[in-house]
Amino acid sequence: MIKQLAGLQLLMMLFILTSFIQGRLHANQFSYVFPPNISLQIIDQHEESGGKIRLTALIESRLGTLEDLEVFFESSKDMQILSNTSKLKTLPPGAPRKVKILAVKTSKIADELGSWLKMGVRFTPDYQAIRTYIADKSIYPDDFERQKLVNIVDKNVGAEARYLEAVRHFIKAD
Amino acid sequence: MRRPLILLAVVIALVFSASMVPVFAATSLTTTYTVITEYGLIASFPANLAPGEKLVKSGDNLHAYRVKTVPVRDESHLLQLMGAASEAELTDLQKGLLESHRFAVSNSFDNLKTRVPGTSPGINLELVDITGYTDTSRFTTIKEDFWPQNSRVYKYSDGGYDLHSDIRISGTDCLGYGTETARTMQSTFAHEFGHALDKTFTEADAYGPDGAHYINEKIETKASFAEGFANFIMMLFFPEKEPEFRESIRTIKIERPEGGYDEFPIADARLAGEGYFDVEAINTLIFTRLAAELPDGRRLVLDSFQKHNQRDNRMGMFLKNFVSDYPEHAEAAARILDRETLGKLSDAEMRQILGSSRGIEKFISSRAVNEQVSDSSPAENTGSPGHKPGTIYKWKDAAGNWQFTDQPPPQGVEYTTRSRAAEPGKASPVTIENPDASPFIIGY
């Protein structure tokens, strides 16, 4: 009898849990997105004496030739990046560029997210390459949804929009 | 045996008190910031993570993202968390996160926040920063792994259970949008906020085998109502999206059980009666037009929705309640319903959906008069090549005025067409409104 009651109460608890959790999330509303223009990676990290950290970043075009690239850096307060902002006129496909980054630890404490370094790249995408890509019906078969992307490209071309992507490298504490 | 029965009674009472009673109070809104700090094979991560950290498994079931979440105090704190000295250094998606936060805490939502069901409901805006993970050729499931959503959970607070919403905004739905990124992310937030107002409990597998939905897809009734309402809330802030919805229903998508979609012109999409409400764009346009065309319509729609909000919401039920709440607007509501379902509902179906009242009967009578006018002067088929009976032609005349005709325009004039609900052998009612005076364009 006691076992039966315990079983029933367990069922009740399960009922409570399932009743109060609205398990059905609303599903994804379909929308196309653009292909990536650029790939940014931190591919190497070396720590040296004197609190120095050397990083190697890789910048690579993913779509067409990117233009007027400005590379800049930021870090948490406990780090200072000694590398300078740099510029690159063009970045064609298949020609990745390595960026060497030197940082040193400061006497300040890290912020609540820990220690991190960030490399940002501001660039003009290859709008013609984007147009060509999104015109591919095998990739974007839905005419209506594809047209929305075309309209967005038109707006960005009209605004001469510059894009900004970044990669943020968190230095492991463990 | 009595204790479990008493417990069962208490549970049922709690469920009903949480889901049925229309109590409303100010909503608390919090913002959290979540950043991906690492990505790798699931096995490579330690079992114990630091406070505030968790692993989010990738859709490939091999990899995971290590993420850290912290509460956001204010805008400058958010900027600092995103690792930028100023807004100029934010990525496009980070700008979208900042603008979404600004939008959410702005007074634009004050009125809507009072309409969230519950005694002390809460909404958390979770801003997910995917900086460094936008290359979908390397992170192939990033879109799905962090797709925007509103997950709703009943939580115990102040002696009762309230529905809390966790709205995730990440920008994975607008990768590469450039200058359009921030506004798109704001509109996504408004849509998800709409779900927070709504108690509809959608059907199992409501969206078809792929789990996704197009705005012009035939899905389940309650799901299309919930999505239509969320779109309506979004459109209160982004009215420029309306033509997109109107344009979308030129064709209706029906998902095949085995995957993939078939597309039909709306007249051929096997929709009938209340079946039109299974398309979320049609739900959206009915809400939007009621709000735009009736005096103080936005308040009326929201009040009626709030008054009758419950887990079995659907458009047919909403309209019946709306007409009952505002009988003085019954005729206008009938006109909007008729137009947004392209005149395909029969008189009986109109009465079934809206109930029978003087306003409804007045509309039905006026519709019959229009039909007689159309029948008495049937359009003469000029025999133009390619002309199909039931086609509406939209074109501009020499004076620049839009014309909607059921015959092709003079030769050489550019036009667009739309099939309308023509019954075989009978001219369909055509209500031509002045599109220049109307806040939206009909007839294309």
Side-chain angles (χ1 to χ4, degrees):
Chain A
M1 184 66 179
I2 292 170
K3 278 183 182 175
Q4 281 176 331
L5 283 176
L8 274 168
Q9 283 182 327
L10 185 62
L11 278 173
M12 294 300 161
M13 292 307 293
L14 286 171
F15 181 66
I16 291 171
L17 284 171
T18 52
S19 296
F20 294 136
I21 296 173
Q22 184 103 346
R24 288 178 203 162
L25 301 175
H26 295 283
N28 300 344
Q29 190 170 73
F30 185 89
S31 73
Y32 283 140
V33 298
F34 288 94
N37 292 295
I38 195 169
S39 173
L40 305 174
Q41 295 181 67
I42 303 292
I43 54 171
D44 201 16
Q45 176 192 329
H46 287 294
E47 292 203 30
E48 297 176 0
S49 60
K52 285 185 183 173
I53 297 176
R54 291 184 189 276
L55 299 168
T56 306
L58 199 66
I59 307 178
E60 191 173 5
S61 168
R62 281 277 184 253
L63 187 66
T65 299
L66 311 180
E67 293 183 344
D68 300 323
L69 296 91
E70 296 171 48
V71 184
F72 62 93
F73 307 96
E74 283 172 300
S75 69
S76 51
K77 282 181 284 185
D78 61 326
M79 310 284 294
Q80 185 184 359
I81 296 181
L82 303 177
S83 306
N84 293 324
T85 299
S86 55
K87 294 190 175 183
L88 199 59
K89 189 67 192 156
T90 61
L91 183 64
R97 302 289 288 261
K98 277 186 181 173
V99 179
K100 299 284 186 183
I101 305 164
L102 175 61
V104 291
K105 287 184 177 170
T106 68
S107 57
K108 294 178 182 172
I109 55 167
D111 61 30
E112 57 201 301
L113 292 176
S115 296
W116 52 267
L117 303 160
K118 187 169 108 175
M119 179 180 76
V121 181
R122 192 177 283 111
F123 63 95
T124 302
D126 187 336
Y127 284 116
Q128 190 49 49
I130 296 174
R131 281 189 201 281
T132 304
Y133 191 91
I134 63 173
D136 187 338
K137 288 194 175 188
S138 66
I139 302 169
Y140 298 100
D142 188 285
D143 292 338
F144 181 73
E145 294 294 333
R146 191 177 61 253
Q147 185 57 42
K148 285 198 226 171
L149 294 187
V150 172
N151 296 343
I152 290 168
V153 175
D154 289 345
K155 282 185 183 171
N156 282 310
V157 170
E160 297 180 353
R162 301 262 291 153
Y163 284 33
L164 204 162
E165 291 279 356
V167 59
R168 198 171 179 188
H169 179 71
F170 287 85
I171 295 164
K172 280 187 189 176
D174 51 11
Chain B
M1 281 300 286
R2 283 178 65 193
R3 280 180 63 200
L5 286 173
I6 292 167
L7 191 55
L8 178 63
V10 170
V11 167
I12 291 170
L14 282 170
V15 170
F16 274 80
S17 66
S19 62
M20 301 299 285
V21 180
V23 283
F24 304 95
T27 305
S28 64
L29 181 98
T30 52
T31 303
T32 55
Y33 172 79
T34 296
V35 64
I36 303 171
T37 59
E38 197 181 347
Y39 175 81
L41 290 168
I42 294 169
S44 69
F45 290 101
N48 297 319
L49 299 172
E53 285 192 329
K54 67 175 179 181
L55 282 190
V56 176
K57 283 185 186 172
S58 162
D60 66 7
N61 290 320
L62 291 172
H63 296 86
Y65 310 85
R66 185 176 191 162
V67 302
K68 187 164 189 176
T69 301
V70 293
V72 175
R73 292 192 298 272
D74 52 37
E75 197 175 301
S76 62
H77 184 220
L78 178 58
L79 261 181
Q80 182 196 321
L81 291 169
M82 289 193 285
S86 72
E87 286 183 43
E89 277 117 50
L90 294 175
T91 67
D92 294 342
L93 290 184
Q94 287 180 323
K95 279 179 200 153
L97 297 179
L98 177 64
E99 291 300 336
S100 297
H101 170 73
R102 283 177 175 158
F103 186 47
V105 300
S106 72
N107 58 15
S108 310
F109 282 92
D110 285 354
N111 177 267
L112 290 175
K113 281 177 193 163
T114 66
R115 296 175 182 274
V116 178
T119 49
S120 57
I123 293 177
N124 182 60
L125 169 59
E126 185 191 19
L127 303 171
V128 181
D129 189 347
I130 61 165
T131 294
Y133 296 88
T134 55
D135 181 357
T136 48
S137 63
R138 285 172 55 216
F139 306 103
T140 53
T141 59
I142 188 78
K143 257 179 71 177
E144 295 77 18
D145 294 339
F146 293 99
W147 192 265
Q149 67 176 30
N150 180 351
S151 50
R152 300 189 295 172
V153 179
Y154 281 106
K155 289 183 182 171
Y156 185 83
S157 61
D158 293 343
Y161 285 88
D162 279 322
L163 195 56
H164 284 242
S165 287
D166 286 312
I167 297 176
R168 179 170 74 196
I169 298 295
S170 62
T172 58
D173 55 332
C174 49
L175 296 173
Y177 276 31
T179 54
E180 294 297 299
T181 307
R183 198 161 169 79
T184 305
M185 288 168 73
Q186 286 180 322
S187 71
T188 301
F189 171 76
H191 174 98
E192 300 301 344
F193 189 94
H195 285 312
L197 295 169
D198 183 7
K199 287 182 173 180
T200 307
F201 197 78
T202 57
E203 300 89 344
D205 302 323
Y207 300 91
D210 67 3
H213 58 104
Y214 291 83
I215 59 174
N216 61 337
E217 181 182 349
K218 182 182 187 302
I219 54 176
E220 293 294 331
T221 309
K222 289 196 285 181
S224 61
F225 177 82
E227 297 299 340
F229 181 75
N231 294 333
F232 159 63
I233 295 298
M234 180 268 290
M235 233 181 287
L236 294 177
F237 301 96
F238 303 92
E240 72 273 15
K241 298 252 186 193
E242 182 170 334
E244 191 180 290
F245 280 77
R246 196 163 292 286
E247 184 74 14
S248 76
I249 53 172
R250 292 173 78 162
T251 57
I252 301 299
K253 287 185 191 304
I254 297 180
E255 191 172 359
R256 295 185 215 111
E258 70 274 21
Y261 289 84
D262 291 318
E263 281 195 60
F264 302 91
I266 192 163
D268 302 329
R270 292 177 261 159
L271 301 175
E274 293 194 40
Y276 280 91
F277 300 151
D278 294 347
V279 179
E280 70 178 78
I282 292 177
N283 286 265
T284 307
L285 292 167
I286 291 172
F287 279 126
T288 306
R289 285 294 103 206
L290 287 171
E293 293 179 28
L294 300 181
D296 201 16
R298 172 181 165 159
R299 185 184 62 77
L300 301 186
V301 170
L302 291 171
D303 282 356
S304 186
F305 178 88
Q306 184 176 345
K307 184 177 170 187
H308 305 285
N309 193 7
Q310 50 130 324
R311 57 189 291 147
D312 287 320
N313 286 330
R314 58 192 69 216
M315 180 51 81
M317 191 185 291
F318 169 81
L319 286 171
K320 191 169 275 179
N321 288 327
F322 186 85
V323 168
S324 169
D325 290 344
Y326 312 112
E328 69 276 24
H329 297 308
E331 189 182 354
R335 189 181 66 246
I336 289 166
L337 171 63
D338 181 54
R339 191 179 60 210
E340 301 308 334
T341 51
L342 309 175
K344 286 199 75 173
L345 297 179
S346 67
D347 293 350
E349 286 168 333
M350 293 290 283
R351 288 189 187 100
Q352 188 185 2
I353 292 166
L354 298 171
S356 191
S357 69
R358 206 168 61 178
I360 307 301
E361 294 307 318
K362 195 174 167 191
F363 169 77
I364 288 172
S365 302
S366 68
R367 186 162 78 154
V369 169
N370 283 341
E371 281 186 29
Q372 283 164 10
V373 169
S374 294
D375 286 344
S376 65
S377 55
E380 190 180 318
N381 189 340
T382 56
S384 304
H387 172 72
K388 287 182 187 169
T391 300
I392 294 177
Y393 296 81
K394 177 191 171 191
W395 49 281
K396 268 188 178 176
D397 64 19
N401 298 316
W402 284 110
Q403 298 292 333
F404 295 86
T405 58
D406 53 8
Q407 290 298 310
Q411 210 165 10
V413 176
E414 284 187 15
Y415 63 89
T416 56
T417 62
R418 187 188 75 179
S419 293
R420 63 181 153 88
E423 291 174 26
K426 183 181 175 188
S428 292
V430 184
T431 307
I432 303 295
E433 300 187 9
N434 179 357
D436 292 330
S438 177
F440 74 108
I441 298 170
I442 63 157
Y444 63 87

